[in-house]
Amino acid sequence: ETGVTQTPRHLVMGMTNKKSLKCEQHLGHNAMYWYKQSAKKPLELMFVYNFKEQTENNSVPSRFSPECPNSSHLFLHLHTLQPEDSALYLCASSQDILNTEAFFGQGTRLTVV
Amino acid sequence: DQQVKQNSPSLSVQEGRISILNCDYTNSMFDYFLWYKKYPAEGPTFLISISSIKDKNEDGRFTVFLNKSAKHLSLHIVPSQPGDSAVYFCAAMGPQGGSEKLVFGKGTKLTVNP
């Protein structure tokens, strides 16, 4: 049990679909993050939320839309994705914004067809 | 441009021997370094870290060494066990653009053979 839960674990979607990834943590952490891991590439930071406020958007295309309704939940809304968006999407949380070790969820394996 | 580089995509070691995973970084502003371990179908888990004011940090079988002048750090696992087989990510943290940012390397896949 990592303390950070992501659903679904696997997702296959068409390029015209709309889907959402969900992340949940009950560790009392104030910062939450979305990372993307593509094959043979480093983990890429996508979004950072601190106390429910987005503090960083790492030049992510608008077809990815994050939402943080409260400090325990983080969503990543997806629409009109491209096949190259297929990757492992990881959610993480930390006590404060990146000044302590981040705890990662198990990830959502996304395939865009 | 990659700021954190793990130049060996894979490493194979015999059980009981030492595993040495290397990591180089380019940004001199990085002041905190972490190693994460990742099993297939799981998210990365924190393993060990080191602050730039230290040159060594030890936790059981795991030791991280930091050479600031060479901008190089390494993770030593002694003795290596088959359960250590995983992908190891090096990560660095430091102020960038007014905020802290955690930057990861591509990872090194370690295989420990029985």
Side-chain angles (χ1 to χ4, degrees), chain B:
Chain B
D1 183 35
Q2 267 189 273
Q3 297 188 67
V4 177
K5 299 178 184 178
Q6 292 177 257
N7 292 319
S8 297
S10 63
L11 175 67
S12 185
V13 173
Q14 207 61 32
E15 180 179 7
R17 307 294 287 270
I18 183 172
S19 295
I20 301 177
L21 298 128
N22 293 304
C23 178
D24 297 292
Y25 62 96
T26 57
N27 190 336
S28 59
M29 296 298 288
F30 288 142
D31 56 10
Y32 193 64
F33 304 88
L34 309 91
W35 284 94
Y36 283 83
K37 177 180 179 181
K38 183 180 183 301
Y39 292 115
E42 293 185 15
T45 55
F46 170 73
L47 191 59
I48 193 171
S49 64
I50 188 168
S51 165
S52 60
I53 63 173
K54 293 185 173 183
D55 54 18
K56 177 183 175 181
N57 187 25
E58 194 171 352
D59 183 4
R61 296 186 296 114
F62 302 91
T63 303
V64 57
F65 294 92
L66 176 63
N67 183 333
K68 283 184 63 181
S69 60
K71 295 191 179 66
H72 176 83
L73 66 154
S74 60
L75 174 68
H76 292 214
I77 307 174
V78 184
S80 303
Q81 300 173 354
D84 296 329
S85 298
V87 177
Y88 289 79
F89 291 96
C90 170
M93 184 189 300
Q96 292 185 66
S99 64
E100 294 286 323
K101 185 175 289 187
L102 193 61
V103 181
F104 285 85
K106 288 186 180 181
T108 296
K109 183 177 180 180
L110 173 66
T111 302
V112 180
N113 301 303

Side-chain angles (χ1 to χ4, degrees), chain A residues 9 35 37 40-43 45 56 58 88 90 97-102 104-106, chain B residues 2 32 34 36 38 41-46 49 89 93 99-102 104-106:
Chain A
R9 294 292 308 278
Y35 283 88
Q37 185 179 18
K40 299 182 180 180
K41 293 177 72 175
L43 277 167
L45 179 64
E56 186 155 345
N58 216 19
L88 179 69
L90 290 157
I97 189 167
L98 288 179
N99 63 352
T100 56
E101 296 82 14
F104 283 84
Q106 293 175 301
Chain B
Q2 267 189 273
Y32 193 64
L34 309 91
Y36 283 83
K38 183 180 183 301
E42 293 185 15
T45 55
F46 170 73
S49 64
F89 291 96
M93 184 189 300
S99 64
E100 294 286 323
K101 185 175 289 187
L102 193 61
F104 285 85
K106 288 186 180 181

